[in-house]
């Protein structure tokens, strides 16, 4: 009935994989000479990828909606189906 709920399991799996990767590869601290602009650079980079992903999902939904509109049979006025 609600097809958007099917993505919940895929998103939960991706989130779990991200947490496990963070546990396996904890990383290291930044060097003292790291730029103070680095957090802003990271935030803008991550948000740009998120915006691009949202645009891809929106385009896919619009393509699906258009396909549904074009393939739906045209109702006839004399038919009381």
């Amino acid at each position: 009935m609600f097809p958007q709920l099917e993505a919940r399991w895929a998103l939960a799996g991706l989130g779990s994989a991200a947490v496990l990767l963070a546990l396996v590869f904890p990383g290291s601290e930044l060097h003292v000479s790291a730029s103070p602009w680095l957090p802003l650079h990271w935030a803008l980079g991550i948000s740009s990828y998120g915006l691009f992903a949202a645009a891809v999902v929106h385009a896919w939904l619009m393509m699906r909606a258009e396909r549904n509109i074009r393939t739906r049979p045209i109702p006839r006025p004399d038919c009381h189906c």
Side-chain angles (χ1 to χ4, degrees):
M1 178 177 254
F2 299 107
Q4 69 269 20
L5 295 180
E6 295 173 3
R8 178 177 52 190
W9 293 107
L11 291 175
L14 287 173
S16 300
V19 168
L20 290 175
L21 280 173
L23 289 174
V24 172
F25 302 105
S28 60
E29 292 184 15
L30 291 176
H31 192 269
V32 167
S33 65
S35 172
W37 293 99
L38 189 59
L40 177 64
H41 177 75
W42 283 356
L44 290 176
I46 291 170
S47 63
S48 67
Y49 278 110
L51 186 61
F52 183 72
V56 168
V57 169
H58 183 260
W60 176 71
L61 288 172
M62 293 299 290
M63 181 183 68
R64 209 173 96 183
E66 183 179 0
R67 186 181 312 132
N68 286 341
I69 289 171
R70 291 183 184 273
T71 59
R72 185 176 298 151
I74 300 172
R76 294 186 343 209
D78 59 342
C79 177
H80 298 287
C81 303

